[in-house]
Amino acid sequence: MSSSSFRPRPLLSSDELLHRLRTGFPAAEVEGAMTAAGVEVLGLRVPREQAGVVWEEWRARHDETGWWPYVTLGSPTDMADGRGELGWDADVLEWVGEAVAQDHDARAASVLVSACRWAVEEVANVDDDLDLWRSDYDPDRLAPLLAPAVERPLPGVSQWATGTRDFFEKDWRWVHFVAARGGYEVPVLLPFVYTTWNWSGYGDRGLTPLDASAILRRWHEQWGAELFFATGPYLELVVDRPPLDPRGAAQAAAELHAYCHDTVQDPVKTGDTMARATMWSLWWD
């Protein structure tokens, strides 16, 4: 079976979706573009404070459209232009097929194992408590260090999609739409939507779009995490069912730590806070 047979097929054509967007938002800027790999990206420009509401509305319509929405800064044309620096355009179709067929839980687990091995072997020195290092990546060791279970998810606050952190102090956002089975496919369809693989926070253990897809799919299935905002080294996920008990929070914190050590430097703190919240905000330096 060819890789192209795994390409997600939307229920609405791009023309139909563009028509709905223009009808629903007559005063808004709407455009579409296509990447060199043939992936269509449609976009709607909205005021920053409305981006979350628009995203929620169209996420709820994903089953009837087949187009996944995410919030970002640039237009679809910006996304489509100048994205072939690493020569990945030819790999996109193959990646989509591999992302569908891969054991995403196993691949996500391999990221956790490799991060632990790298930390213990490359970062820790002979005077360090290696058991303490390992506890950052071992949920069974981490869980007893966390606070007791909470009754309901902690409120999550968007830092970038609707917030004004850092250089995102702009009044407008784009809501992009990509034909995908879920947000977890976006990293392989648009490898530069957010670029963890350009940052060397873990030495030579660079992560790939397939790693990102596996991790996002695991988090989607385990905790209802959905791709919400993506641009450059910044990522935000809306989490519908965050873990509330220490063991589940420890698992989430360990995986977040392994995936994005730049943000999650203290797994205990993360296990008691962000891991149990409805928004996960990550960035790579």
Side-chain angles (χ1 to χ4, degrees), residues 165-270:
R165 282 279 309 264
D166 304 326
F167 57 88
F168 297 137
E169 293 182 1
K170 299 180 180 180
D171 293 331
W172 298 88
R173 297 288 187 269
W174 281 88
V175 181
H176 285 186
F177 298 83
V178 181
R181 298 173 185 87
Y184 52 83
E185 287 190 339
V186 174
V188 293
L189 291 165
L190 302 173
F192 291 93
V193 65
Y194 70 101
T195 48
T196 67
W197 23 94
N198 281 359
W199 280 262
S200 56
Y202 282 122
D204 61 356
R205 55 172 298 271
L207 301 178
T208 70
L210 281 164
D211 292 320
S213 179
I215 289 168
L216 294 188
R217 186 172 178 185
R218 169 173 167 73
W219 291 350
H220 162 73
E221 294 179 356
Q222 190 79 9
W223 298 298
E226 305 284 18
L227 180 68
F228 174 48
F229 177 87
T231 192
Y234 297 85
L235 173 69
E236 283 187 330
L237 305 171
V238 168
V239 188
D240 293 333
R241 307 182 306 276
L244 306 182
D245 64 290
R247 182 55 177 77
Q251 183 71 45
E255 293 181 11
L256 285 162
H257 180 60
Y259 187 48
C260 186
H261 181 270
D262 291 329
T263 301
V264 184
Q265 298 182 3
D266 185 343
V268 173
K269 179 179 178 181
T270 297

Side-chain angles (χ1 to χ4, degrees), residues 57-77:
E57 175 186 352
W58 288 91
R59 174 175 74 142
R61 296 185 182 183
H62 176 256
D63 287 345
E64 67 182 70
T65 69
W67 294 82
W68 186 262
Y70 69 90
V71 182
T72 190
L73 296 183
S75 70
T77 300

Side-chain angles (χ1 to χ4, degrees), residues 83-130:
R83 300 294 177 175
E85 294 93 335
L86 295 183
W88 283 351
D89 289 327
D91 298 323
V92 167
L93 284 181
E94 180 179 345
W95 281 344
V96 172
E98 190 171 342
V100 171
Q102 71 179 346
D103 184 335
H104 53 278
D105 279 329
R107 188 163 192 139
S110 73
V111 172
L112 186 65
V113 170
S114 64
C116 179
R117 180 178 296 119
W118 179 84
V120 171
E121 295 178 357
E122 301 296 332
V123 178
N125 60 55
V126 293
D127 297 323
D128 285 332
D129 182 346
L130 295 185

